[in-house]
Amino acid sequence: MTLRFDVVTLFPPIFDGLTQHGISGRAHARGLWRLHAWNPRDYTTDAHRTVDDRPYGGGPGMVMLSAPLTLAVEHARAARTPDDGAPVVLLSPTGRRFEQGMAARLAQGPGAIFVCGRYEGVDQRFIDACVTDEWSLGDFVLSGGELAAAAMMDAAVRLLPGALNDELSRVQDSFDPSLSGLLDCPHYTRPEVYAGKSVPAELLSGHHARIARWRREQSLRLTAARRPDLIQAARTAGLLDAADETFLAGL
Ligand code: 4HQ
């Protein structure tokens, strides 16, 4: 089954990078997912094709009109499999913070209709009537929802079976840093010495168990230093064993 994303956006070309380049581009070429853009400007009826207006109550900036957004979402919905349960997701800094579990569920479900606001935002009556979920990429302010939606779709698409070349590495979950609950370990490639710095001896040892232990400990060390919240979460999720705890206790 092909994952389908519909995106309501004033700037459809922003998504060309996602569909044309890299892992997501190759997955798109393989037919693993599709993206359809719907421009609210195409659903205006006035001569100037107006998509925004001044905020009631005054203040800076402009607010996106309800009617063109509603029509765009309705056309997107009508083009999808009826009642497929796809959420209508508004990108907003006030939304639920996007994380890996949401990407995984997105990849396994019917997809989504993403609504990308510009300017100061969108009329609240459109949100109340049409939007089922609000998601945030993080605590920073973007110029529009497009780059947030693109990041979320990228995170989902790379999880689709067949999207990655190195599928053998996924057979064993413990090889996949995204499933360990820890930050990834450092990586090295040739040359063996660069700028006077050698690759860590463990990685040159040829001993698979020693290499795996070194990587695990680097992940634990980095996660404890930078994201102690993830150590506690991994512990609660049962992802740390006795050897991990012994190593952490010695840091
Ligand atoms: N936006 N995560 C769109 C964001 C944002 C975020 C600000 C959303 C501008 C118009 N979206 N409005 N952070 O900063 O998703």
Side-chain angles (χ1 to χ4, degrees):
M1 196 197 76
T2 300
L3 182 62
R4 175 176 176 138
F5 292 115
D6 292 273
V7 183
V8 174
T9 174
L10 289 171
F11 303 112
I14 288 178
F15 298 93
D16 290 352
L18 199 64
T19 55
Q20 290 173 20
H21 300 286
I23 289 168
S24 60
R26 193 179 58 216
H28 190 262
R30 288 174 177 174
L32 302 181
W33 69 289
R34 286 188 294 168
L35 187 151
H36 294 263
W38 306 86
N39 193 333
R41 210 173 288 284
D42 294 337
Y43 302 98
T44 55
T45 50
D46 65 315
H48 292 101
R49 310 184 76 200
T50 308
V51 294
D52 62 344
D53 206 337
R54 293 153 61 191
Y56 278 112
M62 300 288 271
V63 176
M64 291 184 76
L65 299 170
S66 276
L69 287 172
T70 300
L71 286 165
V73 167
E74 283 175 353
H75 279 79
R77 175 67 74 198
R80 297 183 63 96
T81 304
D83 307 312
D84 68 356
V88 177
V89 179
L90 179 70
L91 289 311
S92 165
T94 63
R96 177 179 177 196
R97 170 81 74 97
F98 190 74
E99 47 84 48
Q100 188 66 22
M102 293 155 79
R105 285 189 288 279
L106 201 52
Q108 287 173 352
I113 302 172
F114 283 112
V115 179
C116 305
R118 284 269 153 178
Y119 319 118
E120 296 309 301
V122 307
D123 191 301
Q124 186 61 38
R125 292 165 294 183
F126 163 77
I127 300 175
D128 295 342
C130 294
V131 169
T132 63
D133 299 81
E134 294 186 43
W135 292 354
S136 170
L137 192 60
D139 293 339
F140 43 82
V141 182
L142 298 167
S143 312
E146 285 83 1
L147 294 181
M152 294 169 187
M153 288 187 280
D154 180 69
V157 162
R158 63 182 293 285
L159 299 177
L160 293 173
L164 297 177
N165 279 329
D166 59 344
E167 283 182 284
L168 276 182
S169 70
R170 272 176 197 280
V171 172
Q172 182 65 261
D173 279 358
S174 62
F175 288 167
D176 186 343
S178 72
L179 297 175
S180 75
L182 303 173
L183 299 183
D184 199 4
C185 64
H187 302 282
Y188 296 85
T189 187
R190 293 190 294 177
E192 198 174 308
V193 179
Y194 177 75
K197 299 264 284 178
S198 181
V199 172
E202 289 83 350
L203 298 179
L204 304 172
S205 69
H207 291 78
H208 294 304
R210 194 174 163 208
I211 292 168
R213 194 65 225 157
W214 181 86
R215 287 178 168 157
R216 182 73 177 180
E217 290 178 359
Q218 291 294 313
S219 282
L220 289 163
R221 185 194 308 283
L222 191 66
T223 308
R226 298 204 188 153
R227 295 293 304 278
D229 58 310
L230 294 183
I231 292 287
Q232 192 47 51
R235 196 172 272 136
T236 303
L239 293 169
L240 302 185
D241 64 15
D244 294 333
E245 294 293 1
T246 301
F247 178 78
L248 288 169
L251 285 180

